[in-house]
Amino acid sequence: YKFSDNVAVQVAYHDFGNSDFSGTSSGGPSWDAGPVSALHDATGWELGILGRWPVSDRWYALGFIGILSWDSKETFVETSGVSVLEESGSDVSYALGFEYDAGMRDRFLYRFMGAHHEVGDFGYNVNSASAELVYLFP
């Protein structure tokens, strides 16, 4: 929702996808030696403020800061069994980017953003880049 030409509220849903690893452990005080693997899946809803500053007639610098409410699930497999850890929480998210006004009756914008999100209590960081076509409703 656009309050002015320079300030908007933005709501977004993120599916951060899956990350996984596999390897061999030499063992330790609380885990067995042998093959190990893990799968991490995370999603979240985000609410924040988008600031927009004109650089030229059609180009704008963008800054976003918000709060991400996330859910994550990690499945860890080792020789002694499977453990599943499900978490949820909230963290600050931010993004920087730029926008180009295509001038098509002020309805279409091209937006390029780089974002950072923290998901999980164990420091999973999700960095992303996006190219967006934005349609502005009348």
Side-chain angles (χ1 to χ4, degrees):
Y1 177 79
K2 219 168 132 178
F3 289 109
S4 70
D5 286 341
N6 300 79
V7 179
V9 171
Q10 182 171 299
V11 175
Y13 174 77
H14 297 283
D15 182 345
F16 294 111
N18 297 322
S19 63
D20 61 356
F21 81 87
S22 61
T24 303
S25 170
S26 58
S30 62
W31 64 90
D32 296 333
V36 294
S37 65
L39 175 67
H40 185 255
D41 182 39
T43 59
W45 284 95
E46 182 176 55
L47 173 67
I49 300 290
L50 179 71
R52 188 174 179 249
W53 299 272
V55 177
S56 69
D57 288 346
R58 296 198 182 269
W59 287 96
Y60 296 86
L62 300 174
F64 174 84
I65 188 157
I67 188 92
L68 175 72
S69 178
W70 51 263
D71 293 306
S72 72
K73 179 180 179 181
E74 182 176 28
T75 305
F76 187 76
V77 180
E78 61 179 326
T79 53
S80 63
V82 176
S83 62
V84 177
L85 175 63
E86 294 188 54
E87 300 180 285
S88 61
S90 308
D91 284 297
V92 172
S93 59
Y94 55 89
L96 295 173
F98 58 94
E99 187 174 83
Y100 177 73
D101 183 349
M104 300 171 77
R105 297 181 311 165
D106 296 325
R107 292 286 172 243
F108 288 97
L109 304 170
Y110 298 100
R111 185 178 292 166
F112 306 92
M113 299 286 285
H116 174 80
H117 301 93
E118 290 184 22
V119 178
D121 293 334
F122 297 107
Y124 289 106
N125 294 318
V126 179
N127 297 308
S128 63
S130 64
E132 306 168 7
L133 174 63
V134 179
Y135 176 76
L136 301 174
F137 292 95

